[in-house]
Amino acid sequence: MKIFVGSDHRGFQLKKKMDDALKGMGHEVKDMGTHSENIACDYPEIAYKVGKEVVCNPGSRGILLCMSGIGQSIAANKVPGVYAALVYNEEAAQLSRQHNDSNVLVMGSKFVDESNMLGIIKIWLTTEFEGGRHLRRKEQIQKIEKEFSK
């Protein structure tokens, strides 16, 4: 699977570890930045880059990291077609896929460490969307999205 990853300076160290783990799982990883923890950067730019690539590359996914995950989640969800889920544990990762068909995973480096991160990612990448009643709700979200994308 093609996975677009990004972080701000506060998520940079965790992103480096994540990149290696994803490549080790056989995924194609495209790093959208930042490329240094020593220079403060603006997370909305990173979220936009990852979100845009996910939408423009059907079947791909995105993963974003920052200190809390909140800002990245808000910014990524502004890109029409992005369904970013802020996740701090494996159960939330599973539900974000089963019930919401999330295509961007967001984690906060302050709340997720390396060992938790890898478990969250594995579950998120392998869990399928259940459809059914959840598809109806996803379609309602898409209707709202289209109304404001005009």
Side-chain angles (χ1 to χ4, degrees):
M1 179 183 302
K2 185 178 253 186
I3 303 173
F4 297 93
V5 300
S7 73
D8 68 359
H9 53 285
R10 295 294 297 269
F12 179 77
Q13 284 299 324
L14 208 52
K15 182 182 65 150
K16 285 187 359 185
K17 295 172 183 171
M18 177 183 65
D19 287 355
D20 293 339
L22 289 170
K23 289 173 185 170
M25 291 180 220
H27 297 288
E28 180 184 347
V29 179
K30 177 76 172 154
D31 189 338
M32 306 305 292
T34 191
H35 302 289
S36 172
E37 68 180 322
N38 299 320
I39 301 169
C41 67
D42 296 328
Y43 63 82
E45 294 174 6
I46 305 296
Y48 171 75
K49 289 178 186 178
V50 169
K52 181 180 176 184
E53 291 297 331
V54 168
V55 171
C56 291
N57 292 276
S60 68
R61 302 255 186 101
I63 302 176
L64 291 164
L65 296 161
C66 66
M67 184 188 69
S68 69
I70 297 168
Q72 292 276 35
S73 180
I74 291 169
N77 277 313
K78 298 299 181 191
V79 177
V82 167
Y83 304 102
L86 175 57
V87 171
Y88 292 148
N89 61 50
E90 293 178 6
E91 183 177 13
Q94 182 176 6
L95 290 170
S96 81
R97 289 286 310 135
Q98 287 176 331
H99 294 188
N100 308 111
D101 200 17
S102 64
N103 55 7
V104 175
L105 174 66
V106 186
M107 294 176 285
S109 63
K110 183 172 184 170
F111 305 106
V112 175
D113 63 21
E114 181 180 358
S115 63
N116 294 0
M117 175 189 67
L118 297 178
I120 289 168
I121 290 170
K122 286 177 186 174
I123 286 173
W124 186 74
L125 289 173
T126 58
T127 301
E128 296 294 324
F129 178 53
E130 288 181 350
R133 70 184 190 275
H134 305 296
L135 177 58
R136 182 180 74 245
R137 294 168 184 155
K138 180 180 176 182
E139 289 169 345
Q140 290 170 0
I141 292 168
Q142 290 171 326
K143 183 178 176 186
I144 294 167
E145 183 178 61
K146 285 178 186 171
E147 180 180 335
F148 288 93
S149 295
K150 295 177 183 177

